[in-house]
Amino acid sequence: MAFAPKPGCPMCGIVATAAVHPSGQSPCSPNCPDAPAEPEVLWRDENFTAYREKAHPVSSSGHIIIAFNLHVPSIYTLSSSDLPLLVNVRNLGRKLLSASPPRLSLFTSGNNSAPSAPPQYAESQFRIGFITPPFKDNKIPITDHLHAHAYLAPADLLGWWRGVAYGPLAWYAIDDLIAEIRESVSNNRVKSGYDNRINPPIDAVPEAGARTGAANGDEYTASSLAIPDIEDGLASPSSSNTSFASNSSGHIPHLHV
């Protein structure tokens, strides 16, 4: 299987644990005080596992890691067919950051008390993107399992050394990545990744950069990494796989092409 789990990979371990124990807790967590804390899993579907970065966050307001379930080595593995997948990463990051404080688990926690309403944050405070190789976050030094960082600005816990990984030299904002892929393979040529642009019109354009091919109809684009292929027009993750503790609908909008 392509991009199969890699033995010893910490993120593959988190993905596997979340699949078996959706609450994000290992079987012994409540009874083993000496065991390391399990990740607080916020979202799990066929393609992604998202968890709160609690050990070394870059922002006191919220830092979430969205890991690909497949052991995809880097963003350079992705093709234009994976644009819908990247749009889902962006939308998921926005959704989770919006629900981030106070600490909300998006899986059923067993607590029946109604959660308090989270504060409202402006889109301009959302930072969602990738740290590009060979750079890495020295506190989260995983370089061969693709994952996005989503945090709320300002990055008040960053520090100067980690600032290199999250600065302009290494940081690749997901909106910029989406826009550049679209512009490189699409005739639409619509820039969509600049700051403060919400729901850009390009998101509603069918097949905007999702396929490349020849005039005779032959396609050159590889299949998407999405499981199932989001380009088939499938709906957002089923309620059997995901649930929100908040009063939102719990659905992440997909780009249908």
Side-chain angles (χ1 to χ4, degrees):
M1 173 183 175
F3 310 116
K6 178 181 177 181
C9 172
M11 283 197 172
C12 286
I14 292 172
V15 169
T17 299
V20 177
H21 306 290
S23 65
Q25 299 296 321
S26 68
C28 71
S29 293
N31 303 315
C32 301
D34 296 330
E38 294 290 335
E40 181 186 354
V41 175
L42 303 177
W43 180 269
R44 173 85 165 87
D45 63 20
E46 296 92 340
N47 297 298
F48 311 115
T49 297
Y51 64 94
R52 193 185 309 279
E53 176 53 43
K54 296 187 292 185
H56 303 288
V58 299
S59 168
S60 59
S61 296
H63 182 183
I64 295 164
I65 291 178
I66 304 172
F68 281 59
N69 291 343
L70 297 177
H71 187 84
V72 180
S74 77
I75 59 172
Y76 305 118
T77 308
L78 305 177
S79 71
S80 59
S81 287
D82 295 307
L83 275 174
L85 199 63
L86 290 172
V87 170
N88 272 264
V89 172
R90 182 191 65 190
N91 293 346
L92 178 58
R94 289 175 176 174
K95 186 78 171 182
L96 297 179
L97 288 176
S98 296
S100 184
R103 295 175 60 164
L104 297 176
S105 175
L106 301 186
F107 284 100
T108 302
S109 63
N111 185 354
N112 295 325
S113 60
S116 57
Q120 297 298 311
Y121 290 91
E123 291 276 346
S124 60
Q125 291 180 266
F126 295 172
R127 299 290 185 270
I128 305 170
F130 301 92
I131 298 172
T132 55
F135 298 97
K136 64 183 179 181
D137 181 342
N138 64 319
K139 297 292 186 180
I140 312 172
I142 299 172
T143 58
D144 65 344
H145 188 135
L146 185 60
H147 59 282
H149 295 266
Y151 67 92
L152 286 161
D156 54 336
L157 303 178
L158 191 57
W160 72 270
W161 180 245
R162 295 178 78 192
V164 175
Y166 292 86
L169 189 63
W171 180 256
Y172 207 156
I174 195 164
D175 275 330
D176 290 338
L177 177 58
I178 290 169
E180 289 183 17
I181 295 177
R182 282 175 170 157
E183 291 185 350
S184 68
V185 298
S186 172
N187 291 329
N188 293 288
R189 302 286 177 179
V190 180
K191 176 74 173 175
S192 63
Y194 53 83
D195 289 343
N196 302 324
R197 188 171 188 190
I198 301 172
N199 299 322
I202 191 66
D203 280 353
V205 178
E207 301 181 44
R211 298 289 186 187
T212 59
N216 63 1
D218 291 341
E219 291 192 350
Y220 303 144
T221 305
S223 298
S224 171
L225 296 176
I227 305 172
D229 192 339
I230 298 172
E231 290 196 356
D232 291 338
L234 299 178
S236 51
S238 64
S239 58
S240 62
N241 292 330
T242 58
S243 62
F244 281 92
S246 64
N247 58 5
S248 62
S249 65
H251 294 292
I252 302 299
H254 288 283
L255 174 65
H256 296 297
V257 296

